[in-house]
Amino acid sequence: AYALAKERDCPLLFVGDELRDLDAGRKAGVATAAVTWGFQAAELLEAAGPTLVVRSPHELGDALGEPGA
C-alpha cells in the first residue's frame, strides 16, 4: 500500500498508539498521528512531536476527511 500511495502521490498518515509507531512513520517519511486512547500515555506521545494528536475515534475520522466516523 505504501509503494502504491507513493507512486500515485497520495497523502499518507501513519496512525499509532506507541512511540515506536511514530518512529516507524517518521522513518517511512510520512505524517504521523498519535491516538491517545491506546497503549501509551498521551503525554509521552505528545512529547514525541507527531504531526497530529488525536483524542478520539471521531476526531480521527475528521482528520481523515470522514466527519462523524
Side-chain angles (χ1 to χ4, degrees):
Y2 172 81
L4 184 60
K6 284 294 192 180
E7 178 182 304
R8 295 183 180 182
D9 199 28
C10 296
L12 296 171
L13 182 65
F14 197 107
V15 180
D17 65 348
E18 294 185 57
L19 294 174
R20 64 181 171 177
D21 297 331
L22 301 177
D23 289 340
R26 283 191 194 101
K27 287 178 183 174
V30 300
T32 58
V35 296
T36 61
W37 64 88
F39 180 76
Q40 225 149 20
E43 296 79 17
L44 289 173
L45 295 168
E46 290 170 2
T51 308
L52 180 65
V53 176
V54 183
R55 292 175 174 73
S56 72
H58 177 81
E59 191 176 324
L60 180 58
D62 289 345
L64 296 174
E66 298 181 15

